[in-house]
Amino acid sequence: MAKEITYEEIVRNLKNRVYAPVYFLMGEEDYYIDRIAEYITDTVLNETEKEFNLSVIYGADTDLPSIINAAKRYPMMSEHQVIVVKEAQNLRNWEDFSYYLQKPMPSTILVICYKHGTLDRRKKVTAEIEKTGVLFESKKLKEAQLPGFISSYLKRKKVDIEPKAAELMAEFVGTDLNRMAGELEKLIITLPAGERRITSEHIERNIGISKDYNNFELKNALIAKDILKANQIVKYFNDNPKNNPLQVTLSFLFSFFSNLMLAYYAPDKSDQGIATQLGLRSAWQAKDYSIAMHRYTGVKVMQIIGAIRTCDAKSKGVGNSSQSDGELLKELVFFMLH
C-alpha cells in the first residue's frame, strides 16, 4: 500500500502551486479537511477569477453525474476552476466516479469533503483516486498528541508555548481541533505587545485554568507519588466542582494510564521507543510514561484502570447512593497511591 500523504505535504505542494486534479478529503477529524479546502478556495484563484470559476456545492443537493459534468467544464478567463463539494458523505454510487478519474479535466481542481467516515480502501475507485489525485484521511488526534499539535499550530503563527502551557490547553479544550484553534487564536490576541511566548500564567490569567491545581498537575503528583500534593488538588477540585468536573478528570486519567499500559509493550523502552509506540511526536512527550513505568507495576496499572472505570460508574449512580464526586475522586486517588 502506498504511503499515506500528510496534511503538511499537501499544504507544502499547494504553497508551491503544485495542484492535483482531485482532492478527496475524508475522515473523522473535520479540522484538516476544512483547512485544506479553505486553503485551495482562498489561494488558487484571485478575487476576479472566483466570480466565474469557484463553485461550492453540497452533497445533499446534487449527485455524482452533476459533479462530473461541472468538473468537465472549461474555466472562464482563468487557468483553473475550483469546485468544492461539501458534505460529500451524502453522495452515493462512488463507483461511478471512476469514469471521471480515467481522464480528469486538467484545468479543474475538484475538492471533495467527505466527513465523519471514509471510503472503503479495498474498492477500485479508492485506488483510482489515490493514483489520479490526492486521497487524504483526516484522523482524530489522540489526547497525547495534542501538545504537539498546539506547538506546531503556534509555531506557524511565530508564537512559542512552554510545554506545561501546552498540556494545560490540551486538558482544557480536548481533541476538538477547530475549538482548539479558536482558543489559541484568542490567546495570541491577548499576548502583550512584543511578547511571542505563551506561558501557564498567561493561560491562567486569560482562560481561568489554575496553573497549580489542574488535571495535568494531578497526573504529575500521581507519577511522583506525592501524596500531599495529590490530596491538595483533590480538595481544590472538590471546592471548585464547576471548573473541575469529575468526568473530565476521569477521562484524563484513563487516557494516561491506558497509554501507560501500552508503554509496557513497547519493544524499545527508551523515550523514543515509547513515543513511537504511543504515536507521540517527540521523545520528550514520553518522559512521564518512562518515569511512571518505574513507579507503577503493570499489574497496578491494570488495577488502576479498573478503579477508574468503577469510579466512573459510581459517579453515574451505579452501585452508589451517597458518595459525592469529591469523595469518589479522593477514594480513587488513595487507591492509586497506595
Side-chain angles (χ1 to χ4, degrees), residues 149-309:
F149 169 84
I150 292 166
S151 297
S152 297
Y153 183 94
L154 292 172
K155 186 177 181 180
R156 292 194 296 272
K157 305 286 185 175
K158 296 182 170 50
V159 174
D160 189 22
I161 185 169
E162 64 178 25
K164 181 179 177 181
E167 293 277 2
L168 285 174
M169 286 301 296
E171 175 207 331
F172 174 69
V173 178
T175 57
D176 184 336
L177 297 189
N178 280 313
R179 183 187 168 207
M180 178 67 78
E183 294 292 341
L184 292 175
E185 289 294 336
K186 291 177 188 175
L187 280 173
I188 293 171
I189 292 170
T190 59
L191 278 173
E195 287 190 23
R196 305 303 292 173
R197 180 175 174 81
I198 294 172
T199 66
S200 53
E201 286 79 8
H202 188 225
I203 290 174
E204 182 175 27
R205 187 167 59 250
N206 291 282
I207 295 183
I209 312 170
S210 170
K211 64 183 176 64
D212 295 316
Y213 299 100
N214 54 70
N215 289 322
F216 175 61
E217 291 300 328
L218 176 59
K219 179 197 71 175
N220 287 344
L222 291 171
I223 293 171
K225 293 204 167 181
D226 186 336
I227 296 173
L228 176 60
K229 180 66 174 177
N231 281 298
Q232 286 175 335
I233 295 171
V234 169
K235 183 179 184 304
Y236 179 85
F237 283 7
N238 186 53
D239 293 340
N240 300 273
K242 288 186 178 180
N243 293 329
N244 304 279
L246 178 61
Q247 294 304 318
V248 174
T249 298
L250 294 180
S251 176
F252 183 85
L253 294 176
F254 183 82
S255 176
F256 175 75
F257 282 99
S258 296
N259 280 335
L260 180 57
M261 194 71 247
L262 291 175
Y264 284 106
Y265 293 94
D268 175 8
K269 297 297 191 296
S270 69
D271 287 350
Q272 185 56 58
I274 293 171
T276 301
Q277 174 80 350
L278 299 181
L280 306 176
R281 293 194 178 189
S282 62
W284 71 262
Q285 290 178 284
K287 289 189 181 297
D288 284 346
Y289 297 103
S290 297
I291 296 169
M293 286 171 68
H294 291 91
R295 302 279 172 83
Y296 294 87
T297 65
V299 172
K300 182 64 175 180
V301 172
M302 285 296 293
Q303 292 172 342
I304 287 172
I305 291 171
I308 294 171
R309 291 183 183 275

Side-chain angles (χ1 to χ4, degrees), residues 6-237:
T6 66
Y7 169 77
E8 289 78 13
E9 289 172 324
I10 294 172
V11 172
R12 183 163 57 248
N13 287 336
L14 291 171
K15 285 182 176 178
N16 291 328
R17 302 190 72 80
V18 177
Y19 302 132
V22 175
Y23 291 85
F24 198 101
L25 314 175
M26 62 183 186
E28 297 297 328
E29 179 51 68
D30 292 356
Y31 176 81
Y32 293 110
I33 294 173
D34 291 339
R35 296 294 83 72
I36 294 170
E38 286 173 5
Y39 191 89
I40 292 171
T41 301
D42 292 343
T43 63
V44 173
L45 305 173
N46 63 39
E47 291 304 315
T48 302
E49 291 171 332
K50 286 178 185 178
E51 186 173 351
F52 299 104
N53 299 290
L54 174 61
S55 301
V56 179
I57 53 184
Y58 290 82
D61 302 328
T62 189
D63 54 29
L64 277 174
S66 300
I67 293 170
I68 291 170
N69 286 334
K72 294 179 74 173
R73 290 198 299 261
Y74 286 97
M76 293 181 61
M77 297 175 289
S78 175
E79 186 178 351
H80 297 286
Q81 74 157 333
V82 174
I83 300 174
V84 179
V85 183
K86 296 189 175 183
E87 300 175 5
Q89 65 273 13
N90 292 311
L91 293 166
R92 299 291 178 267
N93 304 318
W94 280 103
E95 292 77 12
D96 296 345
F97 194 42
S98 295
Y99 166 71
Y100 179 73
L101 294 170
Q102 301 307 312
K103 194 175 180 181
M105 194 72 169
S107 56
T108 295
I109 298 173
L110 178 58
V111 183
I112 299 173
C113 303
Y114 187 108
K115 295 182 177 180
H116 315 304
T118 60
L119 285 184
D120 188 339
R121 288 185 178 272
R122 296 169 296 180
K123 294 198 172 181
K124 182 181 176 182
V125 67
T126 311
E128 289 175 337
I129 292 170
E130 198 163 24
K131 180 180 178 181
T132 302
V134 169
L135 179 67
F136 172 70
E137 183 175 353
S138 185
K139 299 176 181 178
K140 281 283 186 186
L141 288 190
K142 298 176 182 177
E143 289 183 4
Q145 296 173 304
L146 285 174
F149 169 84
I150 292 166
S151 297
S152 297
Y153 183 94
L154 292 172
K155 186 177 181 180
R156 292 194 296 272
K157 305 286 185 175
K158 296 182 170 50
V159 174
D160 189 22
I161 185 169
E162 64 178 25
K164 181 179 177 181
E167 293 277 2
L168 285 174
M169 286 301 296
E171 175 207 331
F172 174 69
V173 178
T175 57
D176 184 336
L177 297 189
N178 280 313
R179 183 187 168 207
M180 178 67 78
E183 294 292 341
L184 292 175
E185 289 294 336
K186 291 177 188 175
L187 280 173
I188 293 171
I189 292 170
T190 59
L191 278 173
E195 287 190 23
R196 305 303 292 173
R197 180 175 174 81
I198 294 172
T199 66
S200 53
E201 286 79 8
H202 188 225
I203 290 174
E204 182 175 27
R205 187 167 59 250
N206 291 282
I207 295 183
I209 312 170
S210 170
K211 64 183 176 64
D212 295 316
Y213 299 100
N214 54 70
N215 289 322
F216 175 61
E217 291 300 328
L218 176 59
K219 179 197 71 175
N220 287 344
L222 291 171
I223 293 171
K225 293 204 167 181
D226 186 336
I227 296 173
L228 176 60
K229 180 66 174 177
N231 281 298
Q232 286 175 335
I233 295 171
V234 169
K235 183 179 184 304
Y236 179 85
F237 283 7

